[in-house]
Amino acid sequence: MSKVSLETPAKAEEKVSPLLKMVLELGPLVVFFFANSRGEWLAAQFPVLAEMGGPIFIATGLFMAATAIALAVSWVLTRTLPMMPLISGVVVFVFGALTLWLQNDTFIKMKPTIVNSLFGAILLGGLLFGKSLLGYVFHAAFKLTDEGWRKLTLRWGLFFLVLAVMNEVVWRNFSTDFWVAFKVWGTMPITILFTLSQMPLIMRHSIETPDDGKAS
């Protein structure tokens, strides 16, 4: 039966190539950046977009549309919706709608703060109750010891909170164009570097499965 789950089943995951998965995850952000930087040109080419407002509002509307398309494609290919993209998508729709309705870009600027704070609170809150929730999301990709999952969950929880603080500092102290550029070209590289920096921990706490032994 089709369902929304915390993880993508292995068979469903195989249907999505790494390149397509990257496009689905980064595509909406690229659309957001392009629409904000070329908002006036888009409004001239497609007058209906001008009704949304200035470039940031056009970018917000197209960001919402791109996010919906990415989720729909993911659903069609896997018949599941991973929890983290789903939560992020819901916040995009809610805060994006408020941005367009009230013509106030504060809402879309706060979206990363809300999402990252929520993820950080969920992961760190789970640890308080003895649950390494990151393991439920990524256990299909990694097999780690309980200590490994606890450490990785703690690090990611703190990292999400750092991202939330960084977003607040940037949008409150810099221009909208700078914030959009940082959201795309700053946050993503930082996240990739942080992910790569966790590989030593993952290697130290990896568990070799019987299948791994046979493969070797």
Side-chain angles (χ1 to χ4, degrees), residues 142-145 147-148 151-152 155-156 192-207:
F142 304 108
K143 303 296 182 183
L144 304 181
T145 63
E147 180 183 3
K151 290 181 177 179
L152 197 61
R155 292 184 181 185
W156 271 102
I192 292 172
L193 289 175
F194 175 79
T195 301
L196 293 176
S197 73
Q198 302 312 302
M199 292 309 298
L201 182 149
I202 292 174
M203 297 300 295
R204 284 198 305 271
H205 293 279
S206 291
I207 300 174

mmCIF file with all atom_site columns, all heavy atoms in Angstrom, residues 142-145 147-148 151-152 155-156 192-207:
data_model
loop_
_atom_site.group_PDB
_atom_site.id
_atom_site.type_symbol
_atom_site.label_atom_id
_atom_site.label_alt_id
_atom_site.label_comp_id
_atom_site.label_asym_id
_atom_site.label_entity_id
_atom_site.label_seq_id
_atom_site.pdbx_PDB_ins_code
_atom_site.Cartn_x
_atom_site.Cartn_y
_atom_site.Cartn_z
_atom_site.occupancy
_atom_site.B_iso_or_equiv
_atom_site.pdbx_formal_charge
_atom_site.auth_seq_id
_atom_site.auth_comp_id
_atom_site.auth_asym_id
_atom_site.auth_atom_id
_atom_site.pdbx_PDB_model_num
ATOM 1   N N   . PHE A 1 142 ? 23.016 3.378  6.112  1.00 0.00 ? 142 PHE A N   1
ATOM 2   C CA  . PHE A 1 142 ? 24.136 3.075  6.986  1.00 0.00 ? 142 PHE A CA  1
ATOM 3   C C   . PHE A 1 142 ? 23.711 2.086  8.067  1.00 0.00 ? 142 PHE A C   1
ATOM 4   O O   . PHE A 1 142 ? 22.570 2.111  8.527  1.00 0.00 ? 142 PHE A O   1
ATOM 5   C CB  . PHE A 1 142 ? 24.665 4.347  7.671  1.00 0.00 ? 142 PHE A CB  1
ATOM 6   C CG  . PHE A 1 142 ? 25.059 5.441  6.723  1.00 0.00 ? 142 PHE A CG  1
ATOM 7   C CD1 . PHE A 1 142 ? 24.290 6.584  6.603  1.00 0.00 ? 142 PHE A CD1 1
ATOM 8   C CD2 . PHE A 1 142 ? 26.201 5.331  5.954  1.00 0.00 ? 142 PHE A CD2 1
ATOM 9   C CE1 . PHE A 1 142 ? 24.640 7.596  5.733  1.00 0.00 ? 142 PHE A CE1 1
ATOM 10  C CE2 . PHE A 1 142 ? 26.567 6.335  5.075  1.00 0.00 ? 142 PHE A CE2 1
ATOM 11  C CZ  . PHE A 1 142 ? 25.787 7.471  4.967  1.00 0.00 ? 142 PHE A CZ  1
ATOM 12  N N   . LYS A 1 143 ? 24.645 1.226  8.450  1.00 0.00 ? 143 LYS A N   1
ATOM 13  C CA  . LYS A 1 143 ? 24.455 0.322  9.567  1.00 0.00 ? 143 LYS A CA  1
ATOM 14  C C   . LYS A 1 143 ? 25.455 0.713  10.636 1.00 0.00 ? 143 LYS A C   1
ATOM 15  O O   . LYS A 1 143 ? 26.649 0.443  10.516 1.00 0.00 ? 143 LYS A O   1
ATOM 16  C CB  . LYS A 1 143 ? 24.674 -1.135 9.136  1.00 0.00 ? 143 LYS A CB  1
ATOM 17  C CG  . LYS A 1 143 ? 23.788 -1.598 7.986  1.00 0.00 ? 143 LYS A CG  1
ATOM 18  C CD  . LYS A 1 143 ? 22.319 -1.579 8.362  1.00 0.00 ? 143 LYS A CD  1
ATOM 19  C CE  . LYS A 1 143 ? 21.461 -2.085 7.198  1.00 0.00 ? 143 LYS A CE  1
ATOM 20  N NZ  . LYS A 1 143 ? 20.020 -2.010 7.503  1.00 0.00 ? 143 LYS A NZ  1
ATOM 21  N N   . LEU A 1 144 ? 24.972 1.383  11.688 1.00 0.00 ? 144 LEU A N   1
ATOM 22  C CA  . LEU A 1 144 ? 25.857 1.875  12.728 1.00 0.00 ? 144 LEU A CA  1
ATOM 23  C C   . LEU A 1 144 ? 25.511 1.265  14.076 1.00 0.00 ? 144 LEU A C   1
ATOM 24  O O   . LEU A 1 144 ? 24.393 0.780  14.293 1.00 0.00 ? 144 LEU A O   1
ATOM 25  C CB  . LEU A 1 144 ? 25.763 3.408  12.834 1.00 0.00 ? 144 LEU A CB  1
ATOM 26  C CG  . LEU A 1 144 ? 26.027 4.239  11.568 1.00 0.00 ? 144 LEU A CG  1
ATOM 27  C CD1 . LEU A 1 144 ? 25.913 5.723  11.897 1.00 0.00 ? 144 LEU A CD1 1
ATOM 28  C CD2 . LEU A 1 144 ? 27.366 3.913  10.967 1.00 0.00 ? 144 LEU A CD2 1
ATOM 29  N N   . THR A 1 145 ? 26.472 1.334  14.990 1.00 0.00 ? 145 THR A N   1
ATOM 30  C CA  . THR A 1 145 ? 26.213 0.928  16.361 1.00 0.00 ? 145 THR A CA  1
ATOM 31  C C   . THR A 1 145 ? 25.273 1.936  17.009 1.00 0.00 ? 145 THR A C   1
ATOM 32  O O   . THR A 1 145 ? 25.083 3.053  16.507 1.00 0.00 ? 145 THR A O   1
ATOM 33  C CB  . THR A 1 145 ? 27.519 0.869  17.164 1.00 0.00 ? 145 THR A CB  1
ATOM 34  O OG1 . THR A 1 145 ? 28.091 2.194  17.214 1.00 0.00 ? 145 THR A OG1 1
ATOM 35  C CG2 . THR A 1 145 ? 28.519 -0.082 16.520 1.00 0.00 ? 145 THR A CG2 1
ATOM 36  N N   . GLU A 1 147 ? 25.822 3.618  19.676 1.00 0.00 ? 147 GLU A N   1
ATOM 37  C CA  . GLU A 1 147 ? 26.614 4.786  20.035 1.00 0.00 ? 147 GLU A CA  1
ATOM 38  C C   . GLU A 1 147 ? 26.850 5.670  18.815 1.00 0.00 ? 147 GLU A C   1
ATOM 39  O O   . GLU A 1 147 ? 26.793 6.901  18.902 1.00 0.00 ? 147 GLU A O   1
ATOM 40  C CB  . GLU A 1 147 ? 27.964 4.358  20.612 1.00 0.00 ? 147 GLU A CB  1
ATOM 41  C CG  . GLU A 1 147 ? 28.843 5.534  21.021 1.00 0.00 ? 147 GLU A CG  1
ATOM 42  C CD  . GLU A 1 147 ? 30.208 5.097  21.533 1.00 0.00 ? 147 GLU A CD  1
ATOM 43  O OE1 . GLU A 1 147 ? 30.477 3.878  21.520 1.00 0.00 ? 147 GLU A OE1 1
ATOM 44  O OE2 . GLU A 1 147 ? 30.986 5.977  21.931 1.00 0.00 ? 147 GLU A OE2 1
ATOM 45  N N   . GLY A 1 148 ? 27.087 5.051  17.663 1.00 0.00 ? 148 GLY A N   1
ATOM 46  C CA  . GLY A 1 148 ? 27.293 5.810  16.439 1.00 0.00 ? 148 GLY A CA  1
ATOM 47  C C   . GLY A 1 148 ? 26.069 6.627  16.067 1.00 0.00 ? 148 GLY A C   1
ATOM 48  O O   . GLY A 1 148 ? 26.188 7.812  15.709 1.00 0.00 ? 148 GLY A O   1
ATOM 49  N N   . LYS A 1 151 ? 25.707 9.638  18.500 1.00 0.00 ? 151 LYS A N   1
ATOM 50  C CA  . LYS A 1 151 ? 26.638 10.728 18.200 1.00 0.00 ? 151 LYS A CA  1
ATOM 51  C C   . LYS A 1 151 ? 26.232 11.461 16.923 1.00 0.00 ? 151 LYS A C   1
ATOM 52  O O   . LYS A 1 151 ? 26.263 12.699 16.870 1.00 0.00 ? 151 LYS A O   1
ATOM 53  C CB  . LYS A 1 151 ? 28.059 10.182 18.068 1.00 0.00 ? 151 LYS A CB  1
ATOM 54  C CG  . LYS A 1 151 ? 28.668 9.710  19.376 1.00 0.00 ? 151 LYS A CG  1
ATOM 55  C CD  . LYS A 1 151 ? 30.084 9.215  19.164 1.00 0.00 ? 151 LYS A CD  1
ATOM 56  C CE  . LYS A 1 151 ? 30.733 8.799  20.481 1.00 0.00 ? 151 LYS A CE  1
ATOM 57  N NZ  . LYS A 1 151 ? 32.118 8.298  20.283 1.00 0.00 ? 151 LYS A NZ  1
ATOM 58  N N   . LEU A 1 152 ? 25.854 10.702 15.899 1.00 0.00 ? 152 LEU A N   1
ATOM 59  C CA  . LEU A 1 152 ? 25.487 11.322 14.631 1.00 0.00 ? 152 LEU A CA  1
ATOM 60  C C   . LEU A 1 152 ? 24.205 12.139 14.773 1.00 0.00 ? 152 LEU A C   1
ATOM 61  O O   . LEU A 1 152 ? 24.090 13.235 14.209 1.00 0.00 ? 152 LEU A O   1
ATOM 62  C CB  . LEU A 1 152 ? 25.303 10.239 13.560 1.00 0.00 ? 152 LEU A CB  1
ATOM 63  C CG  . LEU A 1 152 ? 25.305 10.717 12.099 1.00 0.00 ? 152 LEU A CG  1
ATOM 64  C CD1 . LEU A 1 152 ? 26.641 11.374 11.758 1.00 0.00 ? 152 LEU A CD1 1
ATOM 65  C CD2 . LEU A 1 152 ? 25.035 9.547  11.159 1.00 0.00 ? 152 LEU A CD2 1
ATOM 66  N N   . ARG A 1 155 ? 25.061 15.405 16.588 1.00 0.00 ? 155 ARG A N   1
ATOM 67  C CA  . ARG A 1 155 ? 25.753 16.351 15.715 1.00 0.00 ? 155 ARG A CA  1
ATOM 68  C C   . ARG A 1 155 ? 24.807 16.992 14.706 1.00 0.00 ? 155 ARG A C   1
ATOM 69  O O   . ARG A 1 155 ? 24.858 18.202 14.483 1.00 0.00 ? 155 ARG A O   1
ATOM 70  C CB  . ARG A 1 155 ? 26.901 15.645 14.985 1.00 0.00 ? 155 ARG A CB  1
ATOM 71  C CG  . ARG A 1 155 ? 28.044 15.212 15.905 1.00 0.00 ? 155 ARG A CG  1
ATOM 72  C CD  . ARG A 1 155 ? 29.184 14.614 15.118 1.00 0.00 ? 155 ARG A CD  1
ATOM 73  N NE  . ARG A 1 155 ? 30.272 14.163 15.967 1.00 0.00 ? 155 ARG A NE  1
ATOM 74  C CZ  . ARG A 1 155 ? 31.437 13.679 15.512 1.00 0.00 ? 155 ARG A CZ  1
ATOM 75  N NH1 . ARG A 1 155 ? 31.639 13.612 14.199 1.00 0.00 ? 155 ARG A NH1 1
ATOM 76  N NH2 . ARG A 1 155 ? 32.374 13.286 16.346 1.00 0.00 ? 155 ARG A NH2 1
ATOM 77  N N   . TRP A 1 156 ? 23.928 16.180 14.114 1.00 0.00 ? 156 TRP A N   1
ATOM 78  C CA  . TRP A 1 156 ? 22.997 16.732 13.134 1.00 0.00 ? 156 TRP A CA  1
ATOM 79  C C   . TRP A 1 156 ? 21.966 17.634 13.810 1.00 0.00 ? 156 TRP A C   1
ATOM 80  O O   . TRP A 1 156 ? 21.557 18.652 13.253 1.00 0.00 ? 156 TRP A O   1
ATOM 81  C CB  . TRP A 1 156 ? 22.300 15.609 12.362 1.00 0.00 ? 156 TRP A CB  1
ATOM 82  C CG  . TRP A 1 156 ? 23.058 15.210 11.139 1.00 0.00 ? 156 TRP A CG  1
ATOM 83  C CD1 . TRP A 1 156 ? 23.862 14.115 10.975 1.00 0.00 ? 156 TRP A CD1 1
ATOM 84  C CD2 . TRP A 1 156 ? 23.111 15.913 9.893  1.00 0.00 ? 156 TRP A CD2 1
ATOM 85  N NE1 . TRP A 1 156 ? 24.403 14.100 9.714  1.00 0.00 ? 156 TRP A NE1 1
ATOM 86  C CE2 . TRP A 1 156 ? 23.966 15.183 9.023  1.00 0.00 ? 156 TRP A CE2 1
ATOM 87  C CE3 . TRP A 1 156 ? 22.533 17.091 9.433  1.00 0.00 ? 156 TRP A CE3 1
ATOM 88  C CZ2 . TRP A 1 156 ? 24.239 15.601 7.720  1.00 0.00 ? 156 TRP A CZ2 1
ATOM 89  C CZ3 . TRP A 1 156 ? 22.798 17.508 8.133  1.00 0.00 ? 156 TRP A CZ3 1
ATOM 90  C CH2 . TRP A 1 156 ? 23.645 16.763 7.297  1.00 0.00 ? 156 TRP A CH2 1
ATOM 91  N N   . ILE A 1 192 ? 26.944 20.230 2.700  1.00 0.00 ? 192 ILE A N   1
ATOM 92  C CA  . ILE A 1 192 ? 27.725 19.164 2.063  1.00 0.00 ? 192 ILE A CA  1
ATOM 93  C C   . ILE A 1 192 ? 29.033 18.937 2.810  1.00 0.00 ? 192 ILE A C   1
ATOM 94  O O   . ILE A 1 192 ? 29.424 17.788 3.080  1.00 0.00 ? 192 ILE A O   1
ATOM 95  C CB  . ILE A 1 192 ? 28.004 19.513 0.586  1.00 0.00 ? 192 ILE A CB  1
ATOM 96  C CG1 . ILE A 1 192 ? 26.698 19.469 -0.211 1.00 0.00 ? 192 ILE A CG1 1
ATOM 97  C CG2 . ILE A 1 192 ? 29.024 18.539 -0.015 1.00 0.00 ? 192 ILE A CG2 1
ATOM 98  C CD1 . ILE A 1 192 ? 26.834 19.972 -1.630 1.00 0.00 ? 192 ILE A CD1 1
ATOM 99  N N   . LEU A 1 193 ? 29.719 20.024 3.172  1.00 0.00 ? 193 LEU A N   1
ATOM 100 C CA  . LEU A 1 193 ? 30.973 19.897 3.909  1.00 0.00 ? 193 LEU A CA  1
ATOM 101 C C   . LEU A 1 193 ? 30.747 19.253 5.277  1.00 0.00 ? 193 LEU A C   1
ATOM 102 O O   . LEU A 1 193 ? 31.545 18.412 5.716  1.00 0.00 ? 193 LEU A O   1
ATOM 103 C CB  . LEU A 1 193 ? 31.622 21.276 4.079  1.00 0.00 ? 193 LEU A CB  1
ATOM 104 C CG  . LEU A 1 193 ? 32.210 21.905 2.809  1.00 0.00 ? 193 LEU A CG  1
ATOM 105 C CD1 . LEU A 1 193 ? 32.709 23.311 3.095  1.00 0.00 ? 193 LEU A CD1 1
ATOM 106 C CD2 . LEU A 1 193 ? 33.351 21.045 2.274  1.00 0.00 ? 193 LEU A CD2 1
ATOM 107 N N   . PHE A 1 194 ? 29.647 19.647 5.938  1.00 0.00 ? 194 PHE A N   1
ATOM 108 C CA  . PHE A 1 194 ? 29.354 19.042 7.241  1.00 0.00 ? 194 PHE A CA  1
ATOM 109 C C   . PHE A 1 194 ? 29.086 17.546 7.076  1.00 0.00 ? 194 PHE A C   1
ATOM 110 O O   . PHE A 1 194 ? 29.563 16.728 7.876  1.00 0.00 ? 194 PHE A O   1
ATOM 111 C CB  . PHE A 1 194 ? 28.143 19.719 7.883  1.00 0.00 ? 194 PHE A CB  1
ATOM 112 C CG  . PHE A 1 194 ? 27.715 19.069 9.173  1.00 0.00 ? 194 PHE A CG  1
ATOM 113 C CD1 . PHE A 1 194 ? 28.397 19.328 10.358 1.00 0.00 ? 194 PHE A CD1 1
ATOM 114 C CD2 . PHE A 1 194 ? 26.656 18.175 9.202  1.00 0.00 ? 194 PHE A CD2 1
ATOM 115 C CE1 . PHE A 1 194 ? 28.017 18.714 11.546 1.00 0.00 ? 194 PHE A CE1 1
ATOM 116 C CE2 . PHE A 1 194 ? 26.265 17.569 10.382 1.00 0.00 ? 194 PHE A CE2 1
ATOM 117 C CZ  . PHE A 1 194 ? 26.949 17.836 11.554 1.00 0.00 ? 194 PHE A CZ  1
ATOM 118 N N   . THR A 1 195 ? 28.333 17.187 6.040  1.00 0.00 ? 195 THR A N   1
ATOM 119 C CA  . THR A 1 195 ? 28.032 15.771 5.789  1.00 0.00 ? 195 THR A CA  1
ATOM 120 C C   . THR A 1 195 ? 29.312 14.973 5.571  1.00 0.00 ? 195 THR A C   1
ATOM 121 O O   . THR A 1 195 ? 29.486 13.888 6.146  1.00 0.00 ? 195 THR A O   1
ATOM 122 C CB  . THR A 1 195 ? 27.116 15.630 4.562  1.00 0.00 ? 195 THR A CB  1
ATOM 123 O OG1 . THR A 1 195 ? 25.905 16.358 4.784  1.00 0.00 ? 195 THR A OG1 1
ATOM 124 C CG2 . THR A 1 195 ? 26.774 14.164 4.302  1.00 0.00 ? 195 THR A CG2 1
ATOM 125 N N   . LEU A 1 196 ? 30.218 15.504 4.764  1.00 0.00 ? 196 LEU A N   1
ATOM 126 C CA  . LEU A 1 196 ? 31.479 14.813 4.499  1.00 0.00 ? 196 LEU A CA  1
ATOM 127 C C   . LEU A 1 196 ? 32.324 14.700 5.771  1.00 0.00 ? 196 LEU A C   1
ATOM 128 O O   . LEU A 1 196 ? 33.028 13.702 5.971  1.00 0.00 ? 196 LEU A O   1
ATOM 129 C CB  . LEU A 1 196 ? 32.264 15.553 3.414  1.00 0.00 ? 196 LEU A CB  1
ATOM 130 C CG  . LEU A 1 196 ? 31.645 15.536 2.013  1.00 0.00 ? 196 LEU A CG  1
ATOM 131 C CD1 . LEU A 1 196 ? 32.479 16.384 1.060  1.00 0.00 ? 196 LEU A CD1 1
ATOM 132 C CD2 . LEU A 1 196 ? 31.522 14.105 1.481  1.00 0.00 ? 196 LEU A CD2 1
ATOM 133 N N   . SER A 1 197 ? 32.231 15.713 6.630  1.00 0.00 ? 197 SER A N   1
ATOM 134 C CA  . SER A 1 197 ? 33.024 15.691 7.866  1.00 0.00 ? 197 SER A CA  1
ATOM 135 C C   . SER A 1 197 ? 32.564 14.613 8.830  1.00 0.00 ? 197 SER A C   1
ATOM 136 O O   . SER A 1 197 ? 33.300 14.267 9.769  1.00 0.00 ? 197 SER A O   1
ATOM 137 C CB  . SER A 1 197 ? 32.963 17.064 8.544  1.00 0.00 ? 197 SER A CB  1
ATOM 138 O OG  . SER A 1 197 ? 31.685 17.288 9.143  1.00 0.00 ? 197 SER A OG  1
ATOM 139 N N   . GLN A 1 198 ? 31.361 14.070 8.615  1.00 0.00 ? 198 GLN A N   1
ATOM 140 C CA  . GLN A 1 198 ? 30.838 13.014 9.494  1.00 0.00 ? 198 GLN A CA  1
ATOM 141 C C   . GLN A 1 198 ? 31.254 11.613 9.058  1.00 0.00 ? 198 GLN A C   1
ATOM 142 O O   . GLN A 1 198 ? 30.989 10.637 9.757  1.00 0.00 ? 198 GLN A O   1
ATOM 143 C CB  . GLN A 1 198 ? 29.316 13.097 9.564  1.00 0.00 ? 198 GLN A CB  1
ATOM 144 C CG  . GLN A 1 198 ? 28.772 14.414 10.045 1.00 0.00 ? 198 GLN A CG  1
ATOM 145 C CD  . GLN A 1 198 ? 29.469 14.904 11.302 1.00 0.00 ? 198 GLN A CD  1
ATOM 146 O OE1 . GLN A 1 198 ? 29.485 14.238 12.335 1.00 0.00 ? 198 GLN A OE1 1
ATOM 147 N NE2 . GLN A 1 198 ? 30.067 16.094 11.207 1.00 0.00 ? 198 GLN A NE2 1
ATOM 148 N N   . MET A 1 199 ? 31.898 11.511 7.901  1.00 0.00 ? 199 MET A N   1
ATOM 149 C CA  . MET A 1 199 ? 32.275 10.189 7.405  1.00 0.00 ? 199 MET A CA  1
ATOM 150 C C   . MET A 1 199 ? 33.232 9.436  8.333  1.00 0.00 ? 199 MET A C   1
ATOM 151 O O   . MET A 1 199 ? 33.088 8.217  8.510  1.00 0.00 ? 199 MET A O   1
ATOM 152 C CB  . MET A 1 199 ? 32.874 10.310 5.999  1.00 0.00 ? 199 MET A CB  1
ATOM 153 C CG  . MET A 1 199 ? 31.864 10.736 4.936  1.00 0.00 ? 199 MET A CG  1
ATOM 154 S SD  . MET A 1 199 ? 30.347 9.724  4.943  1.00 0.00 ? 199 MET A SD  1
ATOM 155 C CE  . MET A 1 199 ? 31.020 8.109  4.549  1.00 0.00 ? 199 MET A CE  1
ATOM 156 N N   . PRO A 1 200 ? 34.231 10.110 8.959  1.00 0.00 ? 200 PRO A N   1
ATOM 157 C CA  . PRO A 1 200 ? 35.080 9.367  9.901  1.00 0.00 ? 200 PRO A CA  1
ATOM 158 C C   . PRO A 1 200 ? 34.278 8.732  11.036 1.00 0.00 ? 200 PRO A C   1
ATOM 159 O O   . PRO A 1 200 ? 34.539 7.582  11.424 1.00 0.00 ? 200 PRO A O   1
ATOM 160 C CB  . PRO A 1 200 ? 36.045 10.442 10.431 1.00 0.00 ? 200 PRO A CB  1
ATOM 161 C CG  . PRO A 1 200 ? 36.127 11.437 9.313  1.00 0.00 ? 200 PRO A CG  1
ATOM 162 C CD  . PRO A 1 200 ? 34.745 11.484 8.736  1.00 0.00 ? 200 PRO A CD  1
ATOM 163 N N   . LEU A 1 201 ? 33.303 9.461  11.582 1.00 0.00 ? 201 LEU A N   1
ATOM 164 C CA  . LEU A 1 201 ? 32.461 8.901  12.642 1.00 0.00 ? 201 LEU A CA  1
ATOM 165 C C   . LEU A 1 201 ? 31.670 7.704  12.118 1.00 0.00 ? 201 LEU A C   1
ATOM 166 O O   . LEU A 1 201 ? 31.559 6.669  12.795 1.00 0.00 ? 201 LEU A O   1
ATOM 167 C CB  . LEU A 1 201 ? 31.512 9.972  13.186 1.00 0.00 ? 201 LEU A CB  1
ATOM 168 C CG  . LEU A 1 201 ? 30.599 9.550  14.345 1.00 0.00 ? 201 LEU A CG  1
ATOM 169 C CD1 . LEU A 1 201 ? 30.330 10.746 15.254 1.00 0.00 ? 201 LEU A CD1 1
ATOM 170 C CD2 . LEU A 1 201 ? 29.262 9.000  13.850 1.00 0.00 ? 201 LEU A CD2 1
ATOM 171 N N   . ILE A 1 202 ? 31.114 7.847  10.918 1.00 0.00 ? 202 ILE A N   1
ATOM 172 C CA  . ILE A 1 202 ? 30.336 6.757  10.323 1.00 0.00 ? 202 ILE A CA  1
ATOM 173 C C   . ILE A 1 202 ? 31.207 5.525  10.109 1.00 0.00 ? 202 ILE A C   1
ATOM 174 O O   . ILE A 1 202 ? 30.786 4.393  10.394 1.00 0.00 ? 202 ILE A O   1
ATOM 175 C CB  . ILE A 1 202 ? 29.704 7.220  8.998  1.00 0.00 ? 202 ILE A CB  1
ATOM 176 C CG1 . ILE A 1 202 ? 28.625 8.276  9.268  1.00 0.00 ? 202 ILE A CG1 1
ATOM 177 C CG2 . ILE A 1 202 ? 29.106 6.036  8.227  1.00 0.00 ? 202 ILE A CG2 1
ATOM 178 C CD1 . ILE A 1 202 ? 28.044 8.901  8.021  1.00 0.00 ? 202 ILE A CD1 1
ATOM 179 N N   . MET A 1 203 ? 32.430 5.722  9.642  1.00 0.00 ? 203 MET A N   1
ATOM 180 C CA  . MET A 1 203 ? 33.333 4.592  9.410  1.00 0.00 ? 203 MET A CA  1
ATOM 181 C C   . MET A 1 203 ? 33.713 3.913  10.715 1.00 0.00 ? 203 MET A C   1
ATOM 182 O O   . MET A 1 203 ? 33.800 2.679  10.785 1.00 0.00 ? 203 MET A O   1
ATOM 183 C CB  . MET A 1 203 ? 34.584 5.082  8.674  1.00 0.00 ? 203 MET A CB  1
ATOM 184 C CG  . MET A 1 203 ? 34.317 5.645  7.283  1.00 0.00 ? 203 MET A CG  1
ATOM 185 S SD  . MET A 1 203 ? 33.548 4.440  6.166  1.00 0.00 ? 203 MET A SD  1
ATOM 186 C CE  . MET A 1 203 ? 34.867 3.239  6.031  1.00 0.00 ? 203 MET A CE  1
ATOM 187 N N   . ARG A 1 204 ? 33.942 4.706  11.764 1.00 0.00 ? 204 ARG A N   1
ATOM 188 C CA  . ARG A 1 204 ? 34.338 4.125  13.055 1.00 0.00 ? 204 ARG A CA  1
ATOM 189 C C   . ARG A 1 204 ? 33.239 3.276  13.658 1.00 0.00 ? 204 ARG A C   1
ATOM 190 O O   . ARG A 1 204 ? 33.514 2.282  14.346 1.00 0.00 ? 204 ARG A O   1
ATOM 191 C CB  . ARG A 1 204 ? 34.718 5.241  14.039 1.00 0.00 ? 204 ARG A CB  1
ATOM 192 C CG  . ARG A 1 204 ? 36.063 5.877  13.799 1.00 0.00 ? 204 ARG A CG  1
ATOM 193 C CD  . ARG A 1 204 ? 36.534 6.626  15.042 1.00 0.00 ? 204 ARG A CD  1
ATOM 194 N NE  . ARG A 1 204 ? 35.562 7.600  15.502 1.00 0.00 ? 204 ARG A NE  1
ATOM 195 C CZ  . ARG A 1 204 ? 35.513 8.868  15.083 1.00 0.00 ? 204 ARG A CZ  1
ATOM 196 N NH1 . ARG A 1 204 ? 36.381 9.290  14.166 1.00 0.00 ? 204 ARG A NH1 1
ATOM 197 N NH2 . ARG A 1 204 ? 34.616 9.710  15.560 1.00 0.00 ? 204 ARG A NH2 1
ATOM 198 N N   . HIS A 1 205 ? 31.984 3.655  13.435 1.00 0.00 ? 205 HIS A N   1
ATOM 199 C CA  . HIS A 1 205 ? 30.873 2.966  14.094 1.00 0.00 ? 205 HIS A CA  1
ATOM 200 C C   . HIS A 1 205 ? 30.052 2.109  13.137 1.00 0.00 ? 205 HIS A C   1
ATOM 201 O O   . HIS A 1 205 ? 28.951 1.670  13.488 1.00 0.00 ? 205 HIS A O   1
ATOM 202 C CB  . HIS A 1 205 ? 29.964 3.997  14.767 1.00 0.00 ? 205 HIS A CB  1
ATOM 203 C CG  . HIS A 1 205 ? 30.619 4.716  15.914 1.00 0.00 ? 205 HIS A CG  1
ATOM 204 N ND1 . HIS A 1 205 ? 30.709 4.172  17.176 1.00 0.00 ? 205 HIS A ND1 1
ATOM 205 C CD2 . HIS A 1 205 ? 31.242 5.935  15.983 1.00 0.00 ? 205 HIS A CD2 1
ATOM 206 C CE1 . HIS A 1 205 ? 31.342 5.020  17.975 1.00 0.00 ? 205 HIS A CE1 1
ATOM 207 N NE2 . HIS A 1 205 ? 31.667 6.094  17.273 1.00 0.00 ? 205 HIS A NE2 1
ATOM 208 N N   . SER A 1 206 ? 30.575 1.858  11.943 1.00 0.00 ? 206 SER A N   1
ATOM 209 C CA  . SER A 1 206 ? 29.845 1.026  10.988 1.00 0.00 ? 206 SER A CA  1
ATOM 210 C C   . SER A 1 206 ? 29.839 -0.421 11.435 1.00 0.00 ? 206 SER A C   1
ATOM 211 O O   . SER A 1 206 ? 30.804 -0.928 12.025 1.00 0.00 ? 206 SER A O   1
ATOM 212 C CB  . SER A 1 206 ? 30.480 1.129  9.599  1.00 0.00 ? 206 SER A CB  1
ATOM 213 O OG  . SER A 1 206 ? 30.282 2.413  9.047  1.00 0.00 ? 206 SER A OG  1
ATOM 214 N N   . ILE A 1 207 ? 28.734 -1.092 11.156 1.00 0.00 ? 207 ILE A N   1
ATOM 215 C CA  . ILE A 1 207 ? 28.587 -2.517 11.449 1.00 0.00 ? 207 ILE A CA  1
ATOM 216 C C   . ILE A 1 207 ? 28.613 -3.274 10.130 1.00 0.00 ? 207 ILE A C   1
ATOM 217 O O   . ILE A 1 207 ? 27.863 -2.962 9.209  1.00 0.00 ? 207 ILE A O   1
ATOM 218 C CB  . ILE A 1 207 ? 27.269 -2.806 12.177 1.00 0.00 ? 207 ILE A CB  1
ATOM 219 C CG1 . ILE A 1 207 ? 27.219 -2.048 13.506 1.00 0.00 ? 207 ILE A CG1 1
ATOM 220 C CG2 . ILE A 1 207 ? 27.089 -4.308 12.399 1.00 0.00 ? 207 ILE A CG2 1
ATOM 221 C CD1 . ILE A 1 207 ? 25.882 -2.173 14.214 1.00 0.00 ? 207 ILE A CD1 1
#
